[in-house]
Amino acid sequence: MRAIQVKEYVKGPEELTVTSLPDPTPSPDTYLIAIHAAATNFFDLLQIRGKYQHQPPLPWISGAEFSGVVLLTPSSKTVPKFKKGDRVFGSSQGGYATQVCAREESLMPVPPGWGFLEAAGLMVTAPTSYAALVNRANIQKGDYVLVHAAAGGVGLAAVQIAKAFGATVIATAGSSRKFEVVRRFGADHAIDYNKEGWAEEVKKLTPKGKGVDIVFDPVGMVNTSLKCTAWGGRIVIIGFTSGNIEKVAMNKVLLKNISLVGLHWGTYSKEQPETVAEVWKGLFQLMKEGNFKGTVYTDREFLGLEQVGVALGMLGRRETWGKVVVSVPQGPGSKL
């Protein structure tokens, strides 16, 4: 197979190279998948530099999110969930390759009518956004929801989910192109978070200037968001893409009866596996109803594993929107 193998940590994605390696041999409890599309993530940038909290022992294959076709089913399962030839998407270390091994609980069926590109970016962002808004923030019809970095992968997922539940969505983004994108995915309002006084603008968009009911924050903007959160509001902390872990003014949290809740989706499979099934059931229902669609970045195409470094570089420089996905041809004449 062909893959991006990390033998030593690199300074940046431009140093990544594609190499030929033996095809992976699945263990008795894993599937072998032919990858047709691989999605990029911010944590990939940290991992290739040796800066992520989960670092596999060197050498290892980069990437973690993909879609493709089942080549082999687990030998230990008499009745596997997926059969040879099934289209699946999932998450497993080694996604920047033409083949990968993955456990059954790390795979999902590609939704009817979805292509490999659209499905490749579902496994991480979609359940994160759904669990944050539905399970943690208890979103209700009529809520006003502020989605930060709304043009990103989790952001566009959050915008769609909030709209499906009957909320009014106020999206923050940093450019006119990203304003266009968030509105196309359903946001009612778009605010420039680089502009001084944006929190006051947000309040003016809510009934009687009361503020928003829910803040969805994957950036690290809690302190400023407290200014435009309603009494009794909920702030869901998804991550810190700004690189800044805040010290929060807790007196404001107390005075406005605000709930601060965190969401780390990756721990649910261990701590509350029943919620994982519940979240995916909800997401597949939204897809079936046409209320949730893929968020693939379409301003340019990334074809072949050789483009992974370019895609990651653009992602790291905040030059993209949605999910940046690389097409992975399976050989001469392959069709994606």
Side-chain angles (χ1 to χ4, degrees):
M1 71 171 182
R2 302 176 71 245
I4 294 178
Q5 186 183 56
V6 177
K7 295 180 180 179
E8 59 183 10
Y9 297 127
V10 298
K11 293 181 180 179
E14 67 279 355
E15 297 180 27
L16 297 174
T17 58
V18 181
T19 187
S20 294
L21 296 169
D23 290 349
T25 301
S27 63
D29 61 347
T30 61
Y31 290 80
L32 181 63
I33 310 298
I35 295 177
H36 285 255
T40 61
N41 288 285
F42 277 105
F43 61 74
D44 295 333
L45 289 164
L46 297 174
Q47 200 175 51
I48 62 176
R49 295 183 176 103
K51 304 291 186 182
Y52 194 51
Q53 59 259 43
H54 304 300
Q55 292 292 148
L58 294 166
W60 48 271
I61 298 171
S62 185
E65 205 178 8
F66 57 86
S67 63
V69 174
V70 174
L71 293 178
L72 292 173
T73 60
S75 59
S76 64
K77 294 181 180 290
T78 54
V79 186
K81 180 178 178 181
F82 304 103
K83 64 183 185 297
K84 184 177 179 180
D86 280 354
R87 300 162 74 244
V88 295
F89 66 90
S91 180
S92 185
Q93 185 68 54
Y96 295 148
T98 53
Q99 294 183 10
V100 69
C101 295
R103 297 175 63 87
E104 191 164 273
E105 59 269 25
S106 299
L107 298 171
M108 290 284 170
V110 172
W114 284 54
F116 288 121
L117 282 176
E118 292 78 17
L122 279 174
M123 198 69 178
V124 174
T125 55
T128 295
S129 301
Y130 189 99
L133 290 173
V134 180
N135 298 73
R136 300 296 281 151
N138 191 29
I139 190 170
Q140 301 293 316
K141 184 178 181 180
D143 278 344
Y144 275 69
V145 179
L146 175 62
V147 179
H148 285 309
V154 291
L156 289 179
V159 168
Q160 295 182 85
I161 292 162
K163 289 302 297 180
F165 276 78
T168 297
V169 175
I170 302 171
T172 68
S175 70
S176 57
R177 173 63 179 134
K178 291 181 178 180
F179 296 158
E180 293 173 12
V181 170
V182 298
R183 289 192 178 103
R184 177 156 56 87
F185 278 83
D188 298 282
H189 308 282
I191 298 288
D192 186 349
Y193 57 66
N194 295 311
K195 186 178 177 182
E196 190 174 345
W198 64 260
E200 283 303 313
E201 282 193 55
V202 170
K203 284 183 69 175
K204 290 175 183 176
L205 293 171
T206 62
K208 298 181 180 179
K210 71 181 182 71
V212 296
D213 302 289
I214 297 172
V215 177
F216 178 93
D217 183 15
V219 181
M221 299 175 70
V222 172
N223 274 316
T224 312
S225 299
L226 287 169
K227 298 177 182 178
C228 58
T229 303
W231 188 95
R234 295 88 78 195
I235 299 178
V236 194
I237 301 155
I238 311 300
F240 313 97
T241 59
S242 67
N244 176 42
I245 298 178
E246 298 177 278
K247 293 182 179 179
V248 177
M250 296 305 290
N251 59 320
K252 295 180 182 178
V253 176
L254 181 152
L255 292 171
K256 296 178 75 173
N257 278 33
I258 290 171
S259 298
L260 297 181
V261 295
L263 186 283
H264 182 205
W265 175 246
T267 59
Y268 271 84
S269 59
K270 178 183 177 182
E271 302 293 341
Q272 210 171 74
E274 65 277 8
T275 299
V276 175
E278 172 191 318
V279 166
W280 278 111
K281 181 181 179 182
L283 280 166
F284 281 125
Q285 183 60 35
L286 292 184
M287 295 174 203
K288 183 179 179 180
E289 294 167 352
N291 290 322
F292 191 94
K293 60 185 179 180
T295 61
V296 179
Y297 175 72
T298 55
D299 289 0
R300 66 161 288 176
E301 182 183 31
F302 302 96
L303 180 60
L305 292 171
E306 290 79 7
Q307 290 288 300
V308 166
V310 176
L312 282 172
M314 291 181 65
L315 179 70
R317 294 189 298 272
R318 306 295 201 276
E319 295 173 359
T320 61
W321 51 265
K323 286 294 293 190
V324 181
V325 182
V326 178
S327 298
V328 182
Q330 280 291 313
S334 67
K335 294 182 179 180
L336 297 176

